[in-house]
PDB file of all heavy atoms in Angstrom:
ATOM      1  N   GLY B 239      79.086 166.621 150.402  1.00  0.00           N
ATOM      2  CA  GLY B 239      78.871 165.831 149.189  1.00  0.00           C
ATOM      3  C   GLY B 239      80.167 165.278 148.617  1.00  0.00           C
ATOM      4  O   GLY B 239      80.176 164.202 148.019  1.00  0.00           O
ATOM      5  N   ILE B 240      81.274 166.022 148.776  1.00  0.00           N
ATOM      6  CA  ILE B 240      82.531 165.519 148.209  1.00  0.00           C
ATOM      7  C   ILE B 240      83.411 164.884 149.281  1.00  0.00           C
ATOM      8  O   ILE B 240      84.565 164.547 149.032  1.00  0.00           O
ATOM      9  CB  ILE B 240      83.324 166.628 147.465  1.00  0.00           C
ATOM     10  CG1 ILE B 240      83.682 167.779 148.418  1.00  0.00           C
ATOM     11  CG2 ILE B 240      82.551 167.144 146.280  1.00  0.00           C
ATOM     12  CD1 ILE B 240      84.661 168.773 147.812  1.00  0.00           C
ATOM     13  N   ARG B 241      82.851 164.716 150.470  1.00  0.00           N
ATOM     14  CA  ARG B 241      83.645 164.160 151.568  1.00  0.00           C
ATOM     15  C   ARG B 241      84.294 162.817 151.245  1.00  0.00           C
ATOM     16  O   ARG B 241      85.489 162.627 151.497  1.00  0.00           O
ATOM     17  CB  ARG B 241      82.767 164.029 152.815  1.00  0.00           C
ATOM     18  CG  ARG B 241      83.542 163.925 154.100  1.00  0.00           C
ATOM     19  CD  ARG B 241      82.572 163.787 155.251  1.00  0.00           C
ATOM     20  NE  ARG B 241      82.659 162.444 155.787  1.00  0.00           N
ATOM     21  CZ  ARG B 241      82.985 162.184 157.056  1.00  0.00           C
ATOM     22  NH1 ARG B 241      83.202 163.168 157.889  1.00  0.00           N
ATOM     23  NH2 ARG B 241      83.063 160.945 157.477  1.00  0.00           N
ATOM     24  N   PRO B 242      83.557 161.853 150.664  1.00  0.00           N
ATOM     25  CA  PRO B 242      84.200 160.559 150.361  1.00  0.00           C
ATOM     26  C   PRO B 242      85.397 160.712 149.426  1.00  0.00           C
ATOM     27  O   PRO B 242      86.433 160.062 149.607  1.00  0.00           O
ATOM     28  CB  PRO B 242      83.093 159.761 149.689  1.00  0.00           C
ATOM     29  CG  PRO B 242      81.826 160.401 150.120  1.00  0.00           C
ATOM     30  CD  PRO B 242      82.134 161.848 150.305  1.00  0.00           C
ATOM     31  N   THR B 243      85.244 161.599 148.429  1.00  0.00           N
ATOM     32  CA  THR B 243      86.355 161.834 147.496  1.00  0.00           C
ATOM     33  C   THR B 243      87.557 162.406 148.232  1.00  0.00           C
ATOM     34  O   THR B 243      88.695 161.981 148.020  1.00  0.00           O
ATOM     35  CB  THR B 243      85.910 162.820 146.395  1.00  0.00           C
ATOM     36  OG1 THR B 243      84.651 162.382 145.893  1.00  0.00           O
ATOM     37  CG2 THR B 243      86.916 162.886 145.279  1.00  0.00           C
ATOM     38  N   ILE B 244      87.291 163.373 149.109  1.00  0.00           N
ATOM     39  CA  ILE B 244      88.387 163.993 149.867  1.00  0.00           C
ATOM     40  C   ILE B 244      89.107 162.931 150.684  1.00  0.00           C
ATOM     41  O   ILE B 244      90.338 162.873 150.701  1.00  0.00           O
ATOM     42  CB  ILE B 244      87.844 165.106 150.795  1.00  0.00           C
ATOM     43  CG1 ILE B 244      87.291 166.265 149.965  1.00  0.00           C
ATOM     44  CG2 ILE B 244      88.946 165.619 151.722  1.00  0.00           C
ATOM     45  CD1 ILE B 244      86.654 167.373 150.783  1.00  0.00           C
ATOM     46  N   VAL B 245      88.328 162.064 151.339  1.00  0.00           N
ATOM     47  CA  VAL B 245      88.952 161.061 152.211  1.00  0.00           C
ATOM     48  C   VAL B 245      89.836 160.111 151.409  1.00  0.00           C
ATOM     49  O   VAL B 245      90.980 159.841 151.785  1.00  0.00           O
ATOM     50  CB  VAL B 245      87.876 160.281 152.993  1.00  0.00           C
ATOM     51  CG1 VAL B 245      88.509 159.108 153.731  1.00  0.00           C
ATOM     52  CG2 VAL B 245      87.175 161.195 153.974  1.00  0.00           C
ATOM     53  N   ILE B 246      89.334 159.647 150.265  1.00  0.00           N
ATOM     54  CA  ILE B 246      90.135 158.710 149.465  1.00  0.00           C
ATOM     55  C   ILE B 246      91.437 159.362 148.990  1.00  0.00           C
ATOM     56  O   ILE B 246      92.513 158.786 149.089  1.00  0.00           O
ATOM     57  CB  ILE B 246      89.320 158.186 148.261  1.00  0.00           C
ATOM     58  CG1 ILE B 246      88.272 157.208 148.795  1.00  0.00           C
ATOM     59  CG2 ILE B 246      90.225 157.506 147.238  1.00  0.00           C
ATOM     60  CD1 ILE B 246      87.537 156.443 147.763  1.00  0.00           C
ATOM     61  N   LEU B 247      91.316 160.607 148.511  1.00  0.00           N
ATOM     62  CA  LEU B 247      92.535 161.266 148.037  1.00  0.00           C
ATOM     63  C   LEU B 247      93.487 161.565 149.190  1.00  0.00           C
ATOM     64  O   LEU B 247      94.703 161.546 149.027  1.00  0.00           O
ATOM     65  CB  LEU B 247      92.188 162.538 147.261  1.00  0.00           C
ATOM     66  CG  LEU B 247      91.453 162.281 145.944  1.00  0.00           C
ATOM     67  CD1 LEU B 247      91.202 163.563 145.191  1.00  0.00           C
ATOM     68  CD2 LEU B 247      92.234 161.311 145.059  1.00  0.00           C
ATOM     69  N   LEU B 248      92.914 161.813 150.374  1.00  0.00           N
ATOM     70  CA  LEU B 248      93.757 162.055 151.541  1.00  0.00           C
ATOM     71  C   LEU B 248      94.523 160.789 151.942  1.00  0.00           C
ATOM     72  O   LEU B 248      95.709 160.847 152.272  1.00  0.00           O
ATOM     73  CB  LEU B 248      92.909 162.559 152.712  1.00  0.00           C
ATOM     74  CG  LEU B 248      93.675 163.117 153.916  1.00  0.00           C
ATOM     75  CD1 LEU B 248      94.536 164.297 153.512  1.00  0.00           C
ATOM     76  CD2 LEU B 248      92.722 163.526 155.030  1.00  0.00           C
ATOM     77  N   ILE B 249      93.834 159.645 151.878  1.00  0.00           N
ATOM     78  CA  ILE B 249      94.519 158.376 152.168  1.00  0.00           C
ATOM     79  C   ILE B 249      95.700 158.206 151.235  1.00  0.00           C
ATOM     80  O   ILE B 249      96.810 157.883 151.649  1.00  0.00           O
ATOM     81  CB  ILE B 249      93.580 157.170 151.964  1.00  0.00           C
ATOM     82  CG1 ILE B 249      92.388 157.229 152.903  1.00  0.00           C
ATOM     83  CG2 ILE B 249      94.324 155.852 152.182  1.00  0.00           C
ATOM     84  CD1 ILE B 249      91.368 156.143 152.611  1.00  0.00           C
ATOM     85  N   LEU B 250      95.432 158.428 149.934  1.00  0.00           N
ATOM     86  CA  LEU B 250      96.507 158.240 148.959  1.00  0.00           C
ATOM     87  C   LEU B 250      97.668 159.189 149.242  1.00  0.00           C
ATOM     88  O   LEU B 250      98.825 158.803 149.173  1.00  0.00           O
ATOM     89  CB  LEU B 250      95.983 158.452 147.539  1.00  0.00           C
ATOM     90  CG  LEU B 250      95.075 157.334 147.018  1.00  0.00           C
ATOM     91  CD1 LEU B 250      94.444 157.721 145.697  1.00  0.00           C
ATOM     92  CD2 LEU B 250      95.862 156.042 146.863  1.00  0.00           C
ATOM     93  N   SER B 251      97.337 160.441 149.606  1.00  0.00           N
ATOM     94  CA  SER B 251      98.411 161.397 149.881  1.00  0.00           C
ATOM     95  C   SER B 251      99.193 160.991 151.116  1.00  0.00           C
ATOM     96  O   SER B 251     100.417 161.111 151.151  1.00  0.00           O
ATOM     97  CB  SER B 251      97.856 162.801 150.113  1.00  0.00           C
ATOM     98  OG  SER B 251      97.002 163.147 149.070  1.00  0.00           O
ATOM     99  N   LEU B 252      98.493 160.531 152.147  1.00  0.00           N
ATOM    100  CA  LEU B 252      99.188 160.104 153.360  1.00  0.00           C
ATOM    101  C   LEU B 252     100.103 158.926 153.060  1.00  0.00           C
ATOM    102  O   LEU B 252     101.209 158.836 153.592  1.00  0.00           O
ATOM    103  CB  LEU B 252      98.182 159.712 154.444  1.00  0.00           C
ATOM    104  CG  LEU B 252      97.482 160.878 155.137  1.00  0.00           C
ATOM    105  CD1 LEU B 252      96.357 160.369 156.021  1.00  0.00           C
ATOM    106  CD2 LEU B 252      98.471 161.675 155.974  1.00  0.00           C
ATOM    107  N   GLY B 253      99.642 158.043 152.180  1.00  0.00           N
ATOM    108  CA  GLY B 253     100.461 156.901 151.808  1.00  0.00           C
ATOM    109  C   GLY B 253     101.734 157.305 151.094  1.00  0.00           C
ATOM    110  O   GLY B 253     102.696 156.559 151.047  1.00  0.00           O
ATOM    111  N   HIS B 254     101.723 158.509 150.522  1.00  0.00           N
ATOM    112  CA  HIS B 254     102.904 158.960 149.781  1.00  0.00           C
ATOM    113  C   HIS B 254     103.815 159.860 150.597  1.00  0.00           C
ATOM    114  O   HIS B 254     104.754 160.441 150.071  1.00  0.00           O
ATOM    115  CB  HIS B 254     102.485 159.699 148.506  1.00  0.00           C
ATOM    116  CG  HIS B 254     102.014 158.763 147.445  1.00  0.00           C
ATOM    117  ND1 HIS B 254     100.972 159.058 146.603  1.00  0.00           N
ATOM    118  CD2 HIS B 254     102.421 157.527 147.118  1.00  0.00           C
ATOM    119  CE1 HIS B 254     100.772 158.029 145.784  1.00  0.00           C
ATOM    120  NE2 HIS B 254     101.647 157.094 146.085  1.00  0.00           N
TER     121      HIS B 254
END
Side-chain angles (χ1 to χ4, degrees):
Chain B
I240 60 170
R241 200 181 110 121
T243 312
I244 294 176
V245 171
I246 287 189
L247 293 183
L248 192 60
I249 298 173
L250 288 172
S251 309
L252 285 171
H254 285 143

